[in-house]
Amino acid sequence: DGTLTAVGTSAARITFTASSGTMNGYWRSIYFRSTASASRLSYVNVFYGGQNNAATGWAAVVVNECSPVFDNLVVSDSGTHGLNFFGGNAAPTLTNSVSQWNSWKGMAVGGWTAATITNTAFNNNTDYAMEVWPNARILGFTGVTATANKSNSGNGVQHRGGTITANETWPNGLA
């Protein structure tokens, strides 16, 4: 619990990874709880996290009811989702980032979350590029691309049921 600030540069990125080995899901996750809204990851790599158990939040980077800022974040080789944002007060921002080579989806956005996602790529994930649950709000959804997810049949956003009660506009190629 608390605030995590990890700010690198384009020439000197900060990397969170396995202490040994290169297996998807080797370690748990970076988990942001309700007290972590002032957190920021900038020019950060997160490799081989997302261990497949409930304690991880089912992703390498987890946001639960807070609003951290992520820019120039690379999440790769998670044993589950690359990123998982959920919880009623969650309003994270993801910009200029990449989620790739993850064992599940590149990103999951749970209900009652308001996530801002811009200029982000979802590439080569085993399942869909993104998963969106009922009542989730995706804001500023521009410059988002999806390539080679689920052998190219998952280059889109998977809606997890519920009723769509307002207009939704998805960028060309993400439907």
Side-chain angles (χ1 to χ4, degrees):
D1 291 326
T3 300
L4 172 63
T5 301
V7 179
T9 67
S10 60
R13 297 180 68 87
I14 296 169
T15 299
F16 294 89
T17 191
S19 59
S20 65
T22 55
M23 182 178 76
N24 288 26
Y26 186 83
W27 56 281
R28 287 189 176 183
S29 62
I30 300 174
Y31 200 115
F32 297 91
R33 297 183 194 283
S34 60
T35 58
S37 282
S39 294
R40 179 177 178 202
L41 300 182
S42 182
Y43 292 97
V44 168
N45 302 322
V46 179
F47 299 150
Y48 305 110
Q51 199 175 74
N52 190 357
N53 68 56
T56 68
W58 309 113
V61 176
V62 179
V63 172
N64 181 2
E65 295 194 3
C66 62
S67 304
V69 173
F70 307 120
D71 64 274
N72 295 286
L73 176 67
V74 174
V75 179
S76 186
D77 300 289
S78 170
T80 52
H81 299 305
L83 303 113
N84 188 7
F85 298 167
F86 63 94
N89 296 318
T93 300
L94 179 68
T95 305
N96 300 319
S97 296
V98 177
S99 183
Q100 63 189 9
W101 300 107
N102 300 299
S103 296
W104 294 0
K105 294 165 183 76
M107 176 180 209
V109 181
W112 311 111
T113 299
T116 300
I117 304 166
T118 57
N119 301 322
T120 295
F122 299 97
N123 305 323
N124 299 294
N125 296 293
T126 302
D127 207 328
Y128 282 91
M130 288 181 66
E131 164 183 286
V132 177
W133 287 82
N135 301 308
R137 293 178 293 139
I138 307 298
L139 311 171
F141 201 65
T142 59
V144 176
T145 61
T147 306
N149 295 287
K150 197 176 182 181
S151 300
N152 284 319
S153 69
N155 289 331
V157 177
Q158 180 186 36
H159 257 282
R160 297 295 293 194
T163 301
I164 299 172
T165 59
N167 291 338
E168 290 185 0
T169 303
W170 300 99
N172 189 23
L174 282 180

